[in-house]
Amino acid sequence: MKEFNIAVMHGDGIGVEIVNASLEVLEKIGEKYNVKFNTKNALLGGAAIDATGIPLPEETIKICKESDAVILGSVGGPKWDSLPGAKRPEKALLGIREALGLYANLRPAKVYEALKDACPLKDSIVNEGVDLLVVRELTGGIYFGERGRVKKDVDSAYDTESYDVNEIKRIAHVAFKSARQRRGKVTLVDKANVLESSRLWREVVNEIHKEYTDVELEFMYVDNAAMQLVRKPSQFDVVLTNNIFGDILSDEASMITGSIGMLPSASVREDSFGMYEPIHGSAPDIAGKDIANPLAQILSVAMMLRYSLDMKEAAEDIERAVEKVLKDGYRTADIYAEGMKKVGTKEMGELVVSKL
Ligand code: NAD
């Protein structure tokens, strides 16, 4: 029997409830596909502060490093809001990504047939289908480049966008491999008509493309991409881009889907290891009430199966189960509409399990 070690960080707030719901789904997948998932809990964020005094204990990094993949809920909450920046739960998020060398952020945006009304775009656009994946570089570019203030006659400030060939190569591989698991198309989004760094991205991505001739590659300027995302999102499969453009476009793409409780994400590196978490936070306003939507967390588990554990079929199985539950009219409070059946976190998880 195949075995995988999975580190599990519930985190804070609704993280605890939604991760528990997703673990039931994982258990069912284990039974169905004859795979053993050895899960090990690790502390992160506020939960870690309460137990150890710091948001990211060494023990947590060790447990993650010894695993094949990591499941994360969400961290933070009012209880820790008065702590100084470096000691806050959210600090652990950057820290754990850095410690694990996770430089690529994968954020899918998909509009579910049953939730089409939540999408702010016109029916004629949505009906063509919205199912894309933003692959964003996470540890380089202008957010990490040299910056400063210059005091002359008039004060000025600068930030620097800089990438080296290796940084671009490694994320290009992630994008092309992801496209192979999807519909086989990569769109590199850049500003190559103006920026030298973008021109380097094009050169390098073109070169790496030679190893993935089965995948289609196209180029698009970022201003046009921002427009095309709302004009004709169906044209996109994998959108590959740098840190700053990815930051902006992934938020735009997630808005198109209309529901924060439905969107998973992954932070990965070249060797298929990754950390999987919903895009939303710990929602302290609804924590502990069994009303949070666990689907983003459950879909994060599906992403883990696809990208880290090479279990594409099982991933699709979960995605289909989620679609069936929605089609049957079950909704948590955040996506509830009149005439539907309102369910809580736990029940939503159980419904997904029942469809597997
Ligand atoms: P949030 O995403 O936690 O919540 C925003 C709104 O969406 C709230 O009204 C919340 O109830 C709702 N919501 C979020 N997820 C939901 C779900 N699964 N089901 C139903 N409703 C859901 O953002 P926030 O309120 O700005 O932040 C709360 C805390 O989370 C803060 O401490 C923040 O720093 C932290 N945070 C953590 C992460 C992370 O762990 N990756 C990300 C963002 C924010």
Side-chain angles (χ1 to χ4, degrees), residues 117-281:
D117 287 348
C119 174
L121 302 181
K122 274 195 228 152
D123 282 355
S124 58
I125 297 175
V126 185
N127 288 342
E128 291 177 0
V130 181
D131 182 3
L132 59 95
L133 175 76
V134 178
V135 175
R136 166 190 171 193
E137 203 288 328
L138 208 54
T139 58
I142 199 163
Y143 293 168
F144 292 87
E146 198 189 321
R147 74 195 56 179
R149 295 272 180 135
V150 182
K151 277 204 174 293
K152 281 191 197 150
D153 306 342
V154 180
D155 288 356
S156 64
Y158 64 95
D159 299 274
T160 320
E161 170 81 354
S162 163
Y163 276 103
D164 69 36
V165 170
N166 292 334
E167 284 174 306
I168 303 168
K169 268 188 189 167
R170 62 187 191 178
I171 192 147
H173 282 293
V174 171
F176 286 122
K177 281 184 191 153
S178 303
R180 273 188 178 157
Q181 303 265 359
R182 296 174 47 94
R183 300 195 303 281
K185 181 178 169 189
V186 170
T187 306
L188 174 63
V189 170
D190 60 28
K191 192 71 185 168
N193 48 345
V194 181
L195 302 177
E196 198 53 42
S197 55
S198 286
R199 289 193 271 272
L200 183 66
W201 271 78
R202 283 204 183 192
E203 275 168 41
V204 175
V205 171
N206 249 328
E207 200 54 38
I208 300 298
H209 182 222
K210 291 180 185 155
E211 297 172 43
Y212 301 87
T213 47
D214 52 322
V215 177
E216 185 192 341
L217 172 65
E218 68 169 17
F219 302 98
M220 195 179 280
Y221 298 138
V222 63
D223 38 353
N224 186 26
M227 219 162 55
Q228 296 298 333
L229 267 175
V230 287
R231 195 187 75 85
K232 196 176 170 49
S234 63
Q235 70 188 288
F236 295 106
D237 180 19
V238 172
V239 174
L240 166 63
T241 190
N242 67 4
N243 202 343
I244 185 167
F245 297 157
D247 188 7
I248 298 161
L249 293 181
S250 61
D251 265 22
E252 185 188 358
S254 60
M255 248 329 278
I256 293 173
T257 71
S259 174
I260 193 171
M262 297 291 304
L263 295 171
S265 81
S267 301
V268 302
R269 58 187 198 207
E270 66 274 17
D271 64 354
S272 82
F273 177 87
M275 187 166 83
Y276 298 84
E277 59 184 308
I279 71 158
H280 60 72

Side-chain angles (χ1 to χ4, degrees), residues 11-12 14 18 44 72-81 88-90 93 97 259-263 265 277-287 291-297 332-335 345:
D12 310 313
I14 60 168
I18 58 178
L44 194 81
L72 168 62
S74 44
V75 300
K79 184 176 175 191
W80 306 280
D81 274 352
R88 285 177 58 117
E90 294 82 357
L93 291 173
R97 287 193 189 115
S259 174
I260 193 171
M262 297 291 304
L263 295 171
S265 81
E277 59 184 308
I279 71 158
H280 60 72
S282 57
D285 52 332
I286 56 166
I291 54 174
N293 187 346
L295 294 179
Q297 190 79 53
T332 42
D334 56 313
I335 50 173
T345 310

Side-chain angles (χ1 to χ4, degrees), residues 18 21-22 25 112 115 259-264 278 280 292-302 318-319 321-323 325-326 330-332 334-335 343 345 347-353:
I18 58 178
S22 74
V25 172
Y112 288 88
L115 294 180
S259 174
I260 193 171
M262 297 291 304
L263 295 171
H280 60 72
N293 187 346
L295 294 179
Q297 190 79 53
I298 289 170
L299 292 166
S300 300
V301 165
I318 293 177
E319 287 157 357
V322 167
E323 271 175 60
V325 170
L326 293 172
Y330 294 102
R331 302 280 189 276
T332 42
D334 56 313
I335 50 173
V343 295
T345 310
E347 193 178 350
M348 186 53 111
E350 287 162 1
L351 282 162
V352 175
V353 170

Side-chain angles (χ1 to χ4, degrees), residues 4-11 19 23 26 36-44 59-72 304:
F4 292 112
N5 295 328
I6 311 293
V8 179
M9 302 187 287
H10 292 76
V19 167
L23 290 179
L26 187 64
K36 189 156 180 265
F37 298 106
N38 304 311
T39 57
K40 194 162 184 183
N41 290 344
L43 293 167
L44 194 81
E59 175 69 8
T60 293
I61 297 174
K62 184 168 171 277
I63 292 173
C64 291
K65 283 188 172 168
E66 287 167 358
S67 63
D68 297 297
V70 181
I71 294 174
L72 168 62
M304 174 182 84

